[in-house]
Every structure is written in structure tokens, then in C-alpha cells.
Amino acid sequence: MHKWQIVYSSVTGNTRKIAEAMAAEAAAVAEAVEGAAQRDDAQIVAVGYWLWRGGPDPKMAAFLPKLHDVDVVLFETHAADVRSEHAVTAFARAAYLLGENCRVLGTFGCQGQVSAAIRAKHEKMAANDPHAKAGGWKTSLGHPDETDLAEAAAFARKMEEKRTRLDAFAARMAAKRG
């Protein structure tokens, strides 16, 4: 098994739950982004964040450029549908922030229940407001749930297997060259 480092930013606990599910599968410890630094022995760094203005939250946006020369797994929580343009574009924005020589192994998105204050705000919005119309805040209730956590663990397992296959491929290519 590769050495994982899992770093997350969470306000409501949604991203923390996903980080912990991945950490349990990867035999790693999930750590909050505050004070975190890339570990020298990490072969895979999983970074999780909540969405803020269409991208990683400010704490994670400051952390991502500090990563270098490592395989990265991005995971995010948000109220939007996981297949929405909003969610997919946020992954691209996170990848853009990564430091030198990082390779993105994969991405995992999960709905996360918004806070009661945000739900109350959306309930009061006019019917023509795009955020109120989208209703992601309604469908996010109860997430991440047990299914989401199981999918996060399965995703970590899939990323471990992917890295193992990439290592084997690199070894075959090196043997052919040398």
C-alpha cells in the first residue's frame, strides 16, 4: 500500500466525514488543513474542500500551491448535484492551483448538507433567484450519508489500485528503455 496523506478543510463537518472514510480505507490519518504541510513520505495526497465561489475554499486554495512532485486526489463537498457544471468546474479550479509536478489521480464529489443558516437564506429567496431555483440545498439534506461514505472509501481503494497500476506501467517502460 502507498503512503497516503489526507488533508481537508471543513466548516460543517461534511468534508471531514468524507476525509475520514477515505482515511480508514487508505490506512491514513485525516488532518485539518490548518497547519498542514506536505509530508516527505507521502506518495498520494488527498485534499478535500468545500466549495466557495465555484472553487476550493480559501484555506485549501492557499494549501494546494504548496504541494509538489506528488500524486493528488481531489475531493469536494457542496450542495450542487455532483455532475453539475458547478461541481466539475471546481475540480478544474483546484487542479489549476496545484504546485509543480503534481499529477491528479482522480476526483470525488459529494453533496454535503448546507448549514441551517444557509437553508433559511435560500428559503427566503425570490423564486427567480438561480440558487433558490437550483434547489441543491434541498437535495443535500442528510448528506453525506452512509452510501456517500461507502462510495468515498471505495474511491480511495480505486485510487490505490490505479497508482499501483501506474507504478507497474512505469517499471515496464523503464525496463524497456534500460
Side-chain angles (χ1 to χ4, degrees), residues 124-142:
K124 291 179 184 175
M125 286 182 175
N128 63 352
D129 182 279
H131 290 94
K133 275 185 180 179
W137 59 276
K138 290 179 184 174
T139 60
S140 72
L141 293 174

Side-chain angles (χ1 to χ4, degrees), residues 19-132:
E20 290 172 351
M22 287 184 178
E25 185 63 36
V29 174
E31 61 183 300
V33 71
E34 294 86 1
Q38 182 179 344
R39 287 197 335 249
D40 291 337
D41 66 339
Q43 295 169 296
I44 300 171
V45 178
V47 292
Y49 50 87
W50 50 278
L51 295 191
W52 183 75
R53 296 185 178 180
D57 68 85
K59 289 179 183 177
M60 193 53 71
F63 178 76
L64 289 166
K66 297 175 184 176
L67 295 174
H68 58 86
D69 305 302
V70 70
D71 285 338
V72 176
V73 170
L74 299 171
F75 63 99
E76 62 188 27
T77 59
H78 44 75
D81 182 289
V82 296
R83 296 171 306 274
S84 69
E85 180 181 354
H86 179 68
V88 172
T89 301
F91 283 126
R93 290 180 175 148
Y96 178 78
L97 294 171
L98 287 168
E100 292 185 16
N101 301 316
C102 288
R103 174 174 64 178
V104 177
L105 281 181
T107 59
F108 180 82
C110 180
Q111 275 196 309
Q113 181 171 304
V114 298
S115 69
I118 297 295
R119 285 195 312 274
K121 176 182 171 185
H122 286 296
E123 287 172 353
K124 291 179 184 175
M125 286 182 175
N128 63 352
D129 182 279
H131 290 94

